[in-house]
């Protein structure tokens, strides 16, 4: 008498297909390690919001990321999340939504700024429980900008201020930089020739308290392993 293994093969095939689709859609992947399963999420290009970007533009779509993060938080097959950032920024609402999701996760999270974490990429970088930036990484901090029709009345400028307050509140709540210093960087007029704001690089971002550590991939992974191990030990102590 023989066992029919075709259903198992089909399930394996479906799982592999889902993983391949995640890699295509999200730049996401998973690997099993000695301390548990690490999932990797890439946030690249432009953060796309309610409007689609022009054809051919590299984008990170919030409608893909939000359910991915929710599923990851609830999954027994995920023990930690590594977030790789190389983004020029993008939609404020979408970026803040993703950042709040990451900040609200209980599972260990570590972010790594590679090429850049510009504009709304700054809240995304600091949203993880610990953040890293490579020495050549850059971060642009500037005031809020809106595309399209802008009505030149006082209410519009008040609206801009309230959006900037939301960004400042999030960044200062999730990093070690002070609000006054962050606002100074945001409104700096002496840094960029044709713009307002500041561009800071790896070591400077750490010295300002915006990013926790200067380091590369191995450093970020080592930190994530340490946090995953600590979380496992915590659960073992608290579980009956």
């Amino acid at each position: 008498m023989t066992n029919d293994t075709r259903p198992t093969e089909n399930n394996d095939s479906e799982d592999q297909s889902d993983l391949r689709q995640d890699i295509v859609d999200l730049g996401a992947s998973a690997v099993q390690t000695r301390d548990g399963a690490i999932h990797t999420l890439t946030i690249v290009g432009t953060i796309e919001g309610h409007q689609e970007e022009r054809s051919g533009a590299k984008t990170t779509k919030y409608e893909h990321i939000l359910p991915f993060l929710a599923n990851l938080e609830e999954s027994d097959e995920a023990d930690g999340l590594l977030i790789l950032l190389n983004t020029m920024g993008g939609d404020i609402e979408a970026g803040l939504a993703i950042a709040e999701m990451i900040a609200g996760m209980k599972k260990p999270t570590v972010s790594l700024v590679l090429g850049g974490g510009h504009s709304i990429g700054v809240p995304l970088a600091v949203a993880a429980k610990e953040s890293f930036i490579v020495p050549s990484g850059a971060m642009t901090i500037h005031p809020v900008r809106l595309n399209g029709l802008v009505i030149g009345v006082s209410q519009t400028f008040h609206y801009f201020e309230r959006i900037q307050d939301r960004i400042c509140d999030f960044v200062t709540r999730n990093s070690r930089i002070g609000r006054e210093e962050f606002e100074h960087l945001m409104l700096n007029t002496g840094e960029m020739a044709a713009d307002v704001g500041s561009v800071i690089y790896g070591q400077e971002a750490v010295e300002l308290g915006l990013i926790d550590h200067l380091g590369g991939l191995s450093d970020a992974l080592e930190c994530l392993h340490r946090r995953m191990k600590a979380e496992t030990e915590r659960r073992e102590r608290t579980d009956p």
Side-chain angles (χ1 to χ4, degrees):
M1 185 174 180
T2 60
N3 292 325
D4 187 356
T5 60
R6 282 175 295 178
T8 302
E9 291 173 355
N10 288 339
N11 289 338
D12 289 345
S13 178
E14 288 174 5
D15 289 344
Q16 291 173 1
S17 178
D18 290 342
L19 177 59
R20 284 194 297 270
Q21 194 60 43
D22 277 346
I23 293 171
V24 170
D25 291 341
L26 306 175
S29 62
V31 61
Q32 187 66 41
T33 74
R34 64 184 184 278
D35 296 315
I38 292 178
H39 285 247
T40 302
L41 174 65
T42 56
I43 298 179
V44 299
T46 302
I47 310 300
E48 189 175 88
H50 302 302
Q51 302 296 323
E52 289 190 357
E53 291 291 321
R54 67 187 185 279
S55 177
K58 295 281 188 181
T59 63
T60 297
K61 299 177 183 293
Y62 80 103
E63 69 269 26
H64 290 169
I65 302 298
L66 297 186
F68 171 80
L69 292 173
N71 292 338
L72 195 70
E73 176 73 350
E74 281 296 293
S75 174
D76 293 332
E77 304 300 319
D79 299 290
L81 174 63
L82 175 67
I83 304 146
L84 303 178
L85 285 153
N86 187 16
T87 176
M88 60 184 292
D91 187 275
I92 293 171
E93 299 284 352
L96 276 179
I98 297 171
E100 288 283 10
M101 287 281 284
I102 294 170
M105 295 177 71
K106 290 184 178 179
K107 289 191 174 175
T109 56
V110 172
S111 66
L112 175 60
V113 179
L114 295 164
H118 303 293
S119 191
I120 202 63
V122 175
L124 288 165
V126 305
K129 290 180 173 59
E130 283 195 62
S131 57
F132 286 77
I133 186 170
V134 296
S136 62
M139 306 181 80
T140 303
I141 303 166
H142 60 68
V144 170
R145 300 179 177 89
L146 294 180
N147 295 325
L149 178 66
V150 176
I151 301 173
V153 295
S154 61
Q155 292 92 330
T156 300
F157 296 102
H158 179 58
Y159 174 64
F160 281 13
E161 288 179 352
R162 293 186 68 183
I163 295 176
Q164 286 178 186
D165 282 343
R166 292 163 61 193
I167 295 170
C168 289
D169 286 344
F170 184 90
V171 171
T172 54
R173 190 171 70 245
N174 290 278
S175 71
R176 294 177 289 107
I177 194 170
R179 185 184 181 94
E180 185 176 342
E181 191 163 22
F182 186 73
E183 287 181 341
H184 172 74
L185 292 169
M186 179 181 283
L187 302 174
N188 185 13
T189 58
E191 175 77 18
M192 293 183 276
D195 205 347
V196 176
S198 303
V199 181
I200 59 176
Y201 298 93
Q203 183 63 45
E204 186 181 5
V206 176
E207 291 172 354
L208 288 167
L210 187 61
I211 297 296
D212 295 320
H213 311 286
L214 187 72
L217 178 60
S218 61
D219 302 300
L221 284 170
E222 183 180 348
C223 175
L224 187 56
H225 276 285
R226 186 170 63 250
R227 282 188 164 272
M228 288 164 56
K229 188 175 181 179
E231 177 62 19
T232 299
E233 292 172 351
R234 185 196 66 79
R235 286 199 307 267
E236 290 173 351
R237 289 195 304 267
T238 57
D239 287 347

